[in-house]
Amino acid sequence: MSKKLSEIDWSKLLKVDSIGFSSWFRLVDEKKVGDAEIKFYSLNFNKARPDYEGFIKYLLTQVESYVFEDFEILEIIEDGESPQEKALSYFGDADPLRDGRYGELILYLFVEAMLKAPLVVHKISQTYNNNDQVKGSDGLFLGNKDGKSTLFLGESKMRGNFNVCINDALDSISRYINYPAAIDRELSVAKKHLSRDLNNLDTETLDLIYNSLRTKQPEFKEYSICYPAFIMYKEGKIEEMISENLPDIENEINKFLLRVKDRRTKYIGESLPKTKNITLEFFMMPVVSVNSFRELCYKVFHNDKVFPRAK
């Protein structure tokens, strides 16, 4: 009897330590609207402020496993080089206010840690110079969701305005929903850039995965489709509350996020595409300032260097 996608143990391909990643957050609340699961996360605090710098330094430790396959890391070490330093070169010297790679890295961590679906294709494998920004999904993952084999097409959006952030994410997702040929094109490219960590699997499983990425084949029809999205947006009230020096500020901000989450969820529900047979997972991360977070990412990833801007 031939092997089924549901029989693949995807956990063997996971790289992210889910406990380590989730320790940076508190799950404030989760809501279900139609086929969308919406989860609101709050970053842990340090000295009465969200610990953005600590979290970004954690992101720095995850770069090498995001960029390189396991065997590549071993080869780099054998050559006397640092995998982390080499991986950081892929982030290049792009303007952090426009660079999508920090969000793509966080998306990867969320999906692997929370959905237990390994990344099998990401944009870095399709990038040919350090400042390229490639169109398409921000990460292709395979795994199981609700007991079904699932293809995950990820999106990451980091915007200063919540509504703009949601609309951008749903516009990106809608290109697959409204134009099925877009998935075929996405998977045609994906087959050329599959993670070489898949080579650790047996030949039968490899052939099954490859065929499952051909939309005209029966293996593809075994998949449900899920669109996970990492959403970072500015929640202006947070900065105001921090400036008031409230006692137990972390708890006060989490209570505030609970109060506004119904309004945020309602907007998402009203904006969702009208379709069936897909699911969406939204990982929501409100911050004081998206631009400041992006600039800090650049600074930490570039050894304390600040991105030069014309005055």
Side-chain angles (χ1 to χ4, degrees):
M1 183 180 293
S2 59
K3 192 170 188 176
K4 298 287 187 183
L5 287 169
S6 58
E7 297 175 312
I8 298 176
D9 183 4
W10 297 109
S11 65
K12 292 180 179 179
L13 297 173
L14 293 171
K15 294 182 178 181
V16 177
D17 174 5
S18 60
I19 296 175
F21 176 70
S22 59
S23 69
W24 285 96
F25 298 94
R26 178 187 296 186
L27 176 61
V28 177
D29 199 13
E30 54 186 313
K31 301 282 285 186
K32 185 172 178 64
V33 180
D35 292 320
E37 296 278 353
I38 306 168
K39 300 179 175 71
F40 293 86
Y41 290 89
S42 176
L43 195 63
N44 291 337
F45 274 51
N46 182 29
K47 296 180 180 177
R49 293 187 67 87
D51 191 8
Y52 299 128
E53 184 170 1
F55 177 60
I56 294 168
K57 286 179 177 178
Y58 163 78
L59 296 181
L60 185 66
T61 69
Q62 303 302 302
V63 168
E64 63 184 67
S65 64
Y66 174 60
V67 173
F68 296 125
E69 275 88 3
D70 291 341
F71 80 93
E72 290 177 308
I73 293 173
L74 291 174
E75 288 179 353
I76 293 168
I77 293 171
E78 288 174 359
D79 290 341
E81 297 181 275
S82 164
Q84 186 182 82
E85 288 181 13
K86 197 155 187 173
L88 285 173
S89 69
Y90 285 81
F91 282 79
D93 216 22
D95 184 345
L97 300 187
R98 296 189 297 167
D99 193 353
R101 295 170 194 175
Y102 302 111
E104 291 158 17
L105 171 60
I106 300 172
L107 169 74
Y108 150 74
L109 294 166
F110 263 112
V111 176
E112 286 221 356
M114 305 305 187
L115 299 181
K116 309 298 183 188
L119 179 71
V120 296
V121 178
H122 60 51
K123 280 188 175 180
I124 283 179
S125 65
Q126 304 168 50
T127 300
Y128 299 104
N129 74 61
N130 288 342
N131 293 308
D132 277 344
Q133 296 291 311
V134 184
K135 293 183 179 179
S137 75
D138 291 330
L140 190 152
F141 307 77
L142 297 175
N144 296 299
K145 179 173 168 56
D146 301 327
K148 299 177 182 178
S149 299
T150 303
L151 169 71
F152 299 87
L153 293 168
E155 292 291 336
S156 65
K157 300 296 177 185
M158 300 167 67
R159 302 284 189 270
N161 179 278
F162 173 82
N163 292 4
V164 171
C165 203
I166 294 300
N167 291 335
D168 279 0
L170 292 177
D171 282 349
S172 296
I173 291 168
S174 292
R175 72 174 178 263
Y176 296 111
I177 296 170
N178 298 332
Y179 305 101
I183 291 183
D184 188 56
R185 289 195 298 271
E186 179 89 15
L187 299 186
S188 294
V189 174
K191 294 200 303 288
K192 302 173 185 176
H193 298 281
L194 288 174
S195 167
R196 282 179 286 180
D197 280 342
L198 294 174
N199 292 334
N200 295 327
L201 302 174
D202 61 83
T203 303
E204 182 186 13
T205 302
L206 274 173
D207 289 343
L208 175 59
I209 292 172
Y210 188 85
N211 285 329
S212 76
L213 299 179
R214 299 167 61 193
T215 58
K216 302 297 190 296
Q217 297 302 306
E219 290 87 350
F220 174 76
K221 294 176 174 58
E222 292 184 43
Y223 285 128
S224 294
I225 297 180
C226 178
Y227 298 96
F230 166 65
I231 306 292
M232 177 181 285
Y233 59 95
K234 178 181 178 179
E235 194 69 82
K237 182 73 173 176
I238 295 176
E239 179 69 12
E240 180 183 330
M241 293 177 71
I242 289 172
S243 68
E244 293 173 354
N245 295 317
L246 299 171
D248 197 8
I249 182 62
E250 183 172 5
N251 188 49
E252 290 299 320
I253 286 176
N254 285 329
K255 287 194 291 187
F256 161 73
L257 294 176
L258 271 173
R259 290 196 299 272
V260 299
K261 63 100 170 49
D262 286 337
R263 186 169 78 248
R264 300 302 191 203
T265 300
K266 183 172 184 275
Y267 183 85
I268 294 172
E270 292 171 347
S271 305
L272 288 174
K274 303 297 186 286
T275 188
K276 296 180 180 179
N277 302 322
I278 65 162
T279 56
L280 299 97
E281 287 271 349
F282 286 88
F283 301 107
M284 315 293 291
M285 184 176 168
V287 296
V288 170
S289 167
V290 174
N291 283 354
S292 295
F293 184 91
R294 286 175 170 275
E295 297 276 20
L296 188 55
C297 283
Y298 182 94
K299 184 177 180 182
V300 171
F301 276 49
H302 292 80
N303 198 26
D304 221 29
K305 175 183 171 185
V306 176
F307 185 80
R309 301 196 178 279
K311 296 182 179 178

